[in-house]
Amino acid sequence: AQSVTQLDSQVPVFEEAPVELRCNYSSSVSVYLFWYVQYPNQGLQLLLKYLSGSTLVESINGFEAEFNKSQTSFHLRKPSVHISDTAEYFCAVSEPGNAGNMLTFGGGTRLMVKP
Amino acid sequence: ETGVTQSPTHLIKTRGQQVTLRCSSQSGHNTVSWYQQALGQGPQFIFQYYREEENGRGNFPPRFSGLQFPNYSSELNVNALELDDSALYLCASSLAPTGWDGYTFGSGTRLTVV
């Protein structure tokens, strides 16, 4: 069975500092990997995804994540954060062909950007 | 593109009652998935509907049931509510069952069972 561990429940960081949100997964087969962001009182928005190809994927707002198969990780990074990046971030994994194509989410990491 | 709309936004029910939550999928999306997000946790998969048929189910009891209609709107029904059913319920639609283009999530219905 697939599972996802987000190692940090909260990450405080100052504005314009770099940040890394860690995600490790467990699966016996190849997986697809996702990062979603949730702003207060809103649903989840897809930030970026890895399906195949280049192991480094980027989002339009400066985030990037690297798929590391040997370490079963998919850490999210941003070189310089803004106040507006304050939100809850969820890493998710899906095994192609699983019932319902379900996403298995980690417990989330609350990114708190301070001025 | 209208996005995913869920109703109601908030709901309070008594233990033992039944509840129906509604979702209007993004235009053209023929697949809808439902997730339960307990406070402080990540969402958990309840089930998925594709072309009005259940297409997969997570580890939830049968008192959680769903419907998908030809116009791609859908419902989540929960019978015999328990206190632990208190959570944010998220509906997500996608162009295809795989959702690899990314699910579009609604803002959710926050259910409180007292």
Side-chain angles (χ1 to χ4, degrees), chain B residues 39-59:
Chain B
L39 197 61
Q41 297 182 23
Q44 285 195 301
F45 176 73
I46 303 175
F47 44 55
Q48 183 185 77
Y49 277 79
Y50 172 60
R51 293 183 176 175
E52 304 170 50
E53 300 271 339
E54 188 177 288
N55 190 45
R57 188 178 186 92
N59 190 27

Side-chain angles (χ1 to χ4, degrees), chain B residues 37-113:
Chain B
Q37 186 178 15
L39 197 61
Q41 297 182 23
Q44 285 195 301
F45 176 73
I46 303 175
F47 44 55
Q48 183 185 77
Y49 277 79
Y50 172 60
R51 293 183 176 175
E52 304 170 50
E53 300 271 339
E54 188 177 288
N55 190 45
R57 188 178 186 92
N59 190 27
F60 280 81
R63 59 188 185 86
F64 285 78
S65 63
L67 284 172
Q68 185 186 29
F69 302 102
N71 65 355
Y72 303 139
S73 64
S74 62
E75 291 180 354
L76 165 65
N77 299 288
V78 187
N79 293 322
L81 283 167
E82 300 176 0
L83 296 179
D84 285 347
D85 295 334
S86 295
L88 180 69
Y89 288 85
L90 295 166
C91 164
S93 71
S94 58
L95 278 169
T98 58
W100 305 145
D101 287 334
Y103 293 99
T104 301
F105 281 83
S107 297
T109 294
R110 184 160 299 282
L111 173 64
T112 303
V113 182

Side-chain angles (χ1 to χ4, degrees), chain A residues 32 34 36 38 41-46 49 51 88 90 94-108, chain B residues 10 33 35 37 40-45 48 55-58 88 90 97-108:
Chain A
Y32 296 158
F34 306 82
Y36 281 84
Q38 186 176 35
N41 301 314
Q42 294 188 28
L44 284 78
Q45 299 174 30
L46 179 64
K49 62 186 178 185
L51 303 183
E88 188 92 19
F90 292 95
S94 185
E95 296 177 354
N98 70 38
N101 303 287
M102 69 176 187
L103 294 170
T104 298
F105 287 88
Chain B
H10 295 81
S33 304
Y35 286 80
Q37 186 178 15
Q41 297 182 23
Q44 285 195 301
F45 176 73
Q48 183 185 77
N55 190 45
R57 188 178 186 92
L88 180 69
L90 295 166
T98 58
W100 305 145
D101 287 334
Y103 293 99
T104 301
F105 281 83
S107 297

Side-chain angles (χ1 to χ4, degrees), chain A residues 10-90:
Chain A
Q10 294 186 64
V11 174
V13 63
F14 286 106
E15 194 174 18
E16 297 184 5
V19 70
E20 177 179 82
L21 308 183
R22 296 179 291 170
C23 171
N24 287 88
Y25 69 92
S26 173
S27 174
S28 58
V29 299
S30 296
V31 296
Y32 296 158
L33 294 155
F34 306 82
W35 275 99
Y36 281 84
V37 59
Q38 186 176 35
Y39 298 100
N41 301 314
Q42 294 188 28
L44 284 78
Q45 299 174 30
L46 179 64
L47 194 58
L48 47 74
K49 62 186 178 185
Y50 171 77
L51 303 183
S52 65
S54 173
T55 57
L56 184 65
V57 291
E58 299 177 351
S59 72
I60 58 173
N61 56 357
F63 283 95
E64 65 178 30
E66 186 161 19
F67 169 54
N68 188 318
K69 187 175 182 179
S70 63
Q71 297 187 8
T72 60
S73 67
F74 191 54
H75 301 332
L76 182 69
R77 302 183 183 93
K78 189 171 186 180
S80 176
V81 295
H82 303 288
I83 294 288
S84 60
D85 293 325
T86 295
E88 188 92 19
Y89 291 79
F90 292 95

